[in-house]
Amino acid sequence: MTLKTIADSLGVSAKTVSRALAGKDSVGEELRARIRAEADRLGYVPNSMARSLVSGSAMTLGMVITHPANPFYALLISAVEERCRANGYSLLLMVTEEDLETEREAAQALQRWGVDGAVVIPVQKGAEHWQRLRDSGVPIVLVNRGLDGFECDFVGVDHERGAYEAVSHLLDTGATSVHLLEEDVSFSSAADRRTGFHRALAERGLSVRDDTVTLVPPTPGRRALPWEPDAAYRCARELVRGLEPGAAVLTGSDYFALGLYRALSEKGIDVPGQVAVIGHGDLPFAAYLQPALASVRPPADEIGSRAADLLFERIQGSAGPATTLYLPPELRIRASAGGDDRRAKN
């Protein structure tokens, strides 16, 4: 089905049909409505490759993520895809699973396919391949993780603020000590949470002992889901042995909180009566645990929308220095940190 098919059916020119479907002002509203109705009736679908050749644009954004199983990234993808649809673009998704060589191949593929821009969550092990992609004329927006030495637009979570506010809440509500159960990784997101954790303690004159921070190693062979509850459970069994009544634990993931809950339950330690807990991510199951899990909720939807909108501005020719946006997370207080389950199920 072609533009000529529609034109012949209505007795107009193919150029008129093309202008109408493209929304050009030179076609009256009544005729435009007739042409669109006929295109729908005939099942006409625009040829994207032909359109790209004419416009010089692929009308496609690339998106590179690390963990396909990460619920945060699922929300992020949905937000970026929604902005693509609103702008008449398609979204090409690629997954690296934290592997540098896979990421290099992804950057090369995006250049070969001629995408108009890219939203990237980097593995943070080098920026040369991203520099080459940008030098080829493809604007890039980094999300959630920055890259040292690579001046680029960035939109991410203020992880430091989220951890700081969580620890401050725990101390304000009577915690006598606060511990951190965090990923044993070098990513900036985890490092920023540790910084916020330390800052909150330092402002209260509290020192960080050797046993204050427990690091959970990634699960071998499971790059796509390194923060499984079982790994956190194994580490938490050691952690809970030293916890005294009045202690609190901040975890770097709600999955870690699952493992911690089990370790605490096996020792007969009541949450929050003896130990308070706050997770990170505010995953759908958090509000339905017993007790309901307090959690730091990152604004995934807003981050995805802001990143895509910033990228479209660059595609349309916006110049100027790189933009850096850190969006604040929301602390969702539930029963595990002294909240009321009846008021805080979501």
Side-chain angles (χ1 to χ4, degrees):
M1 202 61 59
T2 66
L3 294 177
K4 188 176 185 304
T5 308
I6 302 170
D8 290 345
S9 176
L10 294 174
V12 298
S13 70
K15 287 184 178 180
T16 298
V17 173
S18 177
R19 289 195 296 269
L21 296 180
K24 302 295 184 181
D25 293 337
S26 56
V27 181
E29 286 302 321
E30 181 181 352
L31 179 56
R32 187 195 316 278
R34 288 175 55 210
I35 290 172
R36 287 179 173 172
E38 187 67 3
D40 288 341
R41 187 185 72 82
L42 295 172
Y44 171 75
V45 177
N47 187 314
S48 296
M49 293 184 66
R51 183 177 61 178
S52 298
L53 289 172
V54 172
S55 66
S57 168
M59 300 298 290
T60 300
L61 296 188
M63 185 170 186
V64 181
I65 66 169
T66 55
H67 299 313
N70 189 328
F72 172 79
Y73 293 155
L75 294 173
L76 195 70
I77 293 166
S78 293
V80 172
E81 199 277 333
E82 188 277 330
R83 298 307 299 144
C84 282
R85 278 187 283 113
N87 286 274
Y89 277 64
S90 299
L91 182 65
L92 175 65
L93 179 65
M94 307 191 74
V95 177
T96 65
E97 294 190 347
E98 303 291 5
D99 180 71
L100 178 59
E101 187 55 37
T102 302
E103 184 180 84
R104 288 194 182 113
E105 293 172 357
Q108 293 170 1
L110 293 180
Q111 186 172 349
R112 286 197 309 270
W113 291 328
V115 297
D116 298 287
V119 176
V120 175
I121 301 168
V123 302
Q124 293 189 305
K125 294 179 181 178
E128 298 84 1
H129 43 292
W130 296 124
Q131 184 66 58
R132 284 193 295 271
L133 180 63
R134 192 172 62 178
D135 289 345
S136 73
V138 178
I140 297 173
V141 176
L142 299 180
V143 171
N144 210 38
R145 302 176 185 175
L147 281 171
D148 291 339
F150 185 56
E151 287 295 322
C152 184
D153 293 323
F154 171 89
V155 183
V157 183
D158 191 342
H159 289 287
E160 180 178 344
R161 175 175 173 175
Y164 174 85
E165 292 182 350
V167 173
S168 297
H169 169 81
L170 292 169
L171 294 172
D172 288 343
T173 52
T176 55
S177 64
V178 182
H179 298 254
L180 178 64
L181 186 64
E182 181 58 271
E183 294 178 277
D184 187 12
V185 293
S186 59
F187 305 136
S188 58
S189 52
D192 289 346
R193 285 194 294 270
R194 290 195 290 269
T195 298
F197 173 82
H198 287 196
R199 180 162 66 92
L201 292 180
E203 288 185 2
R204 306 299 180 96
L206 301 174
S207 60
V208 178
R209 305 189 308 269
D210 290 342
D211 63 347
T212 301
V213 178
T214 300
L215 297 179
V216 180
T219 303
R222 291 295 300 277
R223 291 198 305 264
L225 189 59
W227 18 250
E228 289 182 328
D230 188 57
Y233 164 68
R234 292 193 297 270
C235 293
R237 284 188 301 179
E238 297 297 324
L239 169 62
V240 300
R241 291 174 182 173
L243 294 181
E244 298 180 355
V249 181
L250 171 65
T251 71
S253 164
D254 287 351
Y255 286 106
F256 287 179
L258 288 178
L260 176 62
Y261 264 36
R262 178 180 173 185
L264 291 168
S265 177
E266 289 177 349
K267 289 293 184 180
I269 298 175
D270 178 65
V271 178
Q274 295 172 279
V275 173
V277 178
I278 295 181
H280 186 276
D282 196 33
L283 302 180
F285 62 76
Y288 296 93
L289 296 177
Q290 185 60 38
L293 176 65
S295 189
V296 179
R297 182 174 189 168
D301 292 340
E302 185 179 0
I303 288 173
S305 296
R306 296 287 289 274
D309 288 343
L310 181 55
L311 190 56
F312 282 123
E313 290 177 11
R314 296 300 189 190
I315 291 171
Q316 292 163 9
S318 174
T323 297
T324 298
L325 296 175
Y326 282 98
L327 304 183
E330 178 185 0
L331 182 58
R332 292 290 185 94
I333 298 303
R334 300 188 180 98
S336 70
D340 185 346
D341 277 6
R342 294 170 299 178
R343 294 186 294 103
K345 277 294 182 186
N346 295 305

